[in-house]
């Protein structure tokens, strides 16, 4: 059974870059067939789709964040990462990584990590 | 972006009740709808995909239906662990979008 685990700083200063990594176990990112995704949830609010990366490096970013988002994948470590630049307090949220299978949406999620943007 | 509008935003029910949550898309999305359950402080859990297919391990008390723009999630015989927030999500068009959530509370 696949497991995903987010890691990264819980506190980021305004204007800096938020960096998170999702470590996958129980499945190989390089085996293909899945879209490795990031989703966030502002405190007490709903869910916002950030985008995905495929094992080949193909990406999709939500246009609302596209100018600030970069995703990467490291198949040797079975990890994928999110970088969000020029953060503000509005980027304070719980960030989830998830695995999407074509046709069946997000079947597996990480536990989530709270990132607070504050000086 | 496709807007997903859930109703009601909150719902009070009792153990043993059957409840239905609806989700309306701002444009047709075939059956590319998923439903998730989120308990406080936890990650969302996938329940249903393709409008009516249950993810592995999800009990049959959960059922989904709909196509086009109107979708429903029905939960039968509510148990204490079912009181949570439920979200619909469309994955027919990028960017994927979620409903605002329906909080199911104990009456």
């Amino acid at each position: 059974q696949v497991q995903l685990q987010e890691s990264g700083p819980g506190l980021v200063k305004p204007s800096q870059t938020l960096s998170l990594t999702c470590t996958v176990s129980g499945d190989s990112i390089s085996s293909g067939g899945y879209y490795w995704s990031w989703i966030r949830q502002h405190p007490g609010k709903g869910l916002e789709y950030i985008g995905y990366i495929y094992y080949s490096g193909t990406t999709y970013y939500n246009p609302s964040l596209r100018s600030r988002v970069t995703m990467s994948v490291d198949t040797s470590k079975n990890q994928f990462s999110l970088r969000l630049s020029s953060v503000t307090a509005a980027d304070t949220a719980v960030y989830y990584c998830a695995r999407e299978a074509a046709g069946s949406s997000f079947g597996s999620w990480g536990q989530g990590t709270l990132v607070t943007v504050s000086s | 972006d496709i807007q997903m509008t859930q109703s009601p935003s909150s719902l009070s029910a009792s153990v043993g009740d059957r409840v239905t949550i609806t989700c309306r898309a701002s444009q047709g999305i075939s059956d590319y709808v998923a439903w998730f359950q989120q308990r406080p402080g936890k990650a969302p859990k996938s329940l249903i995909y393709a409008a009516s297919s249950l993810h592995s391990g999800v009990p049959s008390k959960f059922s989904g239906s709909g196509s086009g723009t109107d979708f429903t999630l029905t939960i039968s015989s509510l148990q204490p662990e079912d009181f949570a927030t439920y979200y619909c999500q469309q994955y027919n068009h990028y960017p994927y979008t979620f409903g605002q959530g329906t909080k199911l509370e104990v009456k």
Side-chain angles (χ1 to χ4, degrees):
Chain A
Q1 182 176 348
V2 65
Q3 292 187 316
L4 298 91
Q5 178 68 58
E6 305 88 351
S7 60
L11 181 64
V12 181
K13 288 181 167 48
S15 79
Q16 294 190 342
T17 297
L18 176 161
S19 295
L20 296 174
T21 295
C22 183
T23 300
V24 179
S25 58
D27 188 17
S28 172
I29 289 177
S30 59
S31 64
Y34 295 102
Y35 300 88
W36 303 95
S37 306
W38 291 96
I39 298 146
R40 70 179 182 179
Q41 186 171 35
H42 295 102
K45 303 295 185 182
L47 298 157
E48 179 182 23
Y49 177 66
I50 300 172
Y52 76 78
I53 187 164
Y54 198 58
Y55 81 99
S56 61
T58 299
T59 56
Y60 170 83
Y61 304 145
N62 190 324
S64 67
L65 297 167
R66 183 169 291 161
S67 63
R68 300 192 291 130
V69 169
T70 304
M71 295 183 190
S72 60
V73 62
D74 186 339
T75 55
S76 67
K77 294 182 179 179
N78 220 32
Q79 295 177 332
F80 61 105
S81 299
L82 169 71
R83 287 172 57 87
L84 182 66
S85 64
S86 304
V87 297
T88 69
D91 295 308
T92 294
V94 175
Y95 287 77
Y96 295 99
C97 57
R99 186 183 76 170
E100 178 199 359
S104 61
S105 192
F106 306 111
S108 300
W109 296 65
Q111 66 183 30
T113 187
L114 173 63
V115 178
T116 301
V117 178
S118 175
S119 56
Chain B
D1 296 5
I2 295 176
Q3 287 196 346
M4 302 294 284
T5 304
Q6 286 182 236
S7 61
S9 295
S10 63
L11 178 58
S12 294
S14 301
V15 172
D17 283 355
R18 178 175 184 265
V19 298
T20 296
I21 299 167
T22 65
C23 185
R24 174 164 288 177
S26 59
Q27 65 186 74
I29 54 172
S30 185
D31 65 348
Y32 289 91
V33 162
W35 290 93
F36 301 91
Q37 174 195 68
Q38 187 176 35
R39 298 188 176 107
K42 299 296 185 182
K45 172 188 174 184
S46 55
L47 298 175
I48 287 171
Y49 65 95
S52 60
S53 298
L54 264 61
H55 272 284
S56 175
V58 175
S60 58
K61 63 188 299 181
F62 294 94
S63 62
S65 65
S67 183
T69 60
D70 294 314
F71 303 88
T72 62
L73 171 70
T74 299
I75 313 169
S76 62
S77 187
L78 283 171
Q79 296 302 304
E81 61 271 21
D82 298 329
F83 292 92
T85 299
Y86 292 85
Y87 293 93
C88 63
Q89 178 238 337
Q90 67 81 20
Y91 55 102
N92 192 49
H93 293 288
Y94 287 110
Y96 295 165
T97 47
F98 295 83
Q100 81 279 16
T102 295
K103 188 173 184 179
L104 178 56
E105 300 175 302
V106 179
K107 186 182 289 184

